[in-house]
């Protein structure tokens, strides 16, 4: 039987964002108190796992989520830019219900094609770079387990791609809660299973 390798792809914890903007790749957005508690809960859930590397997006919220996981295993947090949040035209703008960014006619052109999507990094490009990140992590941890900390859209797009589903989707139906763990189980080079859990659902 081929050696089994598990790649735990984790979404970062809750972010301190009092202005309710789409923070995207903007610097300076760190975990809230709840987000830090979520990260600690994930670290505890993975404490007994055979983890040999912890790799995170370069963004602060991902690095802070990865830190307690790495500390639990005596590992550094390594950085892979392929795990970064997707680019988005609405970055820095308020996007909650009733806010102006979605309602402003000047921005409607950016919403013209939800299948690509027209407002940000194409789904196919997200899938490609996330697959590259996971392949690198899997090779590094062959026969063991590796953690990759990323962001909701990249994690969900990766899962859709690896399970052969269409990349265009309804964002409200993503199975990717804060600090959730999407585990990719490989037998040799073949994806054998996908597991999902939310140990930090506080």
């Amino acid at each position: 039987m081929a050696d089994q390798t598990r790649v735990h792809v984790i979404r970062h914890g809750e972010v301190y964002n009092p202005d309710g903007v789409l923070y995207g790749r903007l610097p300076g957005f760190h975990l809230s108190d709840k987000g830090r508690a979520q990260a600690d809960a994930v670290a505890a859930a993975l404490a007994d796992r055979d983890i040999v590397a912890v790799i995170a997006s370069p963004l602060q919220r991902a690095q802070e989520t990865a830190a307690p996981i790495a500390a639990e295993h005596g590992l550094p947090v390594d950085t892979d830019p392929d795990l970064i949040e997707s680019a988005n035209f609405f970055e820095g703008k308020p996007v909650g219900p009733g806010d102006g960014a979605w309602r402003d006619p000047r921005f409607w052109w950016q919403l013209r094609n939800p299948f690509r999507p027209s407002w940000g990094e194409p789904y196919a490009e997200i899938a490609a770079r996330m697959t590259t990140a996971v392949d690198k992590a899997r090779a590094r941890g062959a026969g063991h387990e590796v953690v990759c900390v990323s962001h909701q859209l990249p994690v969900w797009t990766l899962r859709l791609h690896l399970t052969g589903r269409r990349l265009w989707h309804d964002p409200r139906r993503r199975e990717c809660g804060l600090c959730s763990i999407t585990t990719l189980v490989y037998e040799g080079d073949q994806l054998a299973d996908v597991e999902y859990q939310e140990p930090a659902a506080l």
Side-chain angles (χ1 to χ4, degrees), residues 55-141:
I55 308 161
S57 154
L59 295 174
Q60 183 175 349
R61 58 194 184 271
Q63 294 280 320
E64 290 178 353
T65 300
I69 303 169
E72 189 71 47
H73 295 274
L75 297 167
V77 176
D78 296 322
T79 301
D80 187 345
D82 283 332
L83 294 171
I84 200 167
E85 176 66 285
S86 55
N88 194 302
F89 171 82
F90 292 97
E91 186 176 279
K93 299 177 175 63
V95 293
D99 286 326
W102 299 121
R103 298 163 62 91
D104 191 329
R106 293 175 300 172
F107 299 145
W108 288 352
W109 175 250
Q110 298 298 329
L111 303 173
R112 68 193 182 279
N113 183 0
F115 298 99
R116 189 173 190 264
S118 54
W119 56 83
E121 184 180 9
Y123 292 130
E125 292 181 14
I126 299 170
R129 64 174 172 81
M130 287 294 291
T131 300
T132 297
V134 165
D135 285 346
K136 288 183 290 186
R138 179 167 56 86
R140 180 172 173 180

Side-chain angles (χ1 to χ4, degrees), residues 3 18-20 56 67 70 84 92 104 118 120 123-124 135 138 150 153 167 178 184 189-190:
D3 288 338
D19 296 325
I84 200 167
D104 191 329
S118 54
Y123 292 130
D135 285 346
R138 179 167 56 86
S150 187
L153 178 56
L167 301 184
L178 289 165
L184 308 174
D189 293 332
Q190 299 299 313

Side-chain angles (χ1 to χ4, degrees), residues 123-124 127-128 131 156-167:
Y123 292 130
T131 300
W156 184 241
T157 303
L158 170 71
R159 183 170 168 183
L160 292 176
H161 172 67
L162 292 179
T163 55
R165 288 181 282 173
R166 70 180 188 190
L167 301 184

Side-chain angles (χ1 to χ4, degrees), residues 37-55:
Q38 290 169 334
D40 289 341
V42 171
L46 295 174
D48 295 330
R49 307 301 304 190
D50 180 26
I51 292 170
V52 297
V54 177
I55 308 161

Side-chain angles (χ1 to χ4, degrees), residues 8 33 55 68 84 105 109-110 119 155 159 164 180 183 193 198-199:
H8 305 287
D33 290 343
I55 308 161
I84 200 167
W109 175 250
Q110 298 298 329
W119 56 83
V155 173
R159 183 170 168 183
S180 59
T183 300
D193 197 11
E198 295 187 5

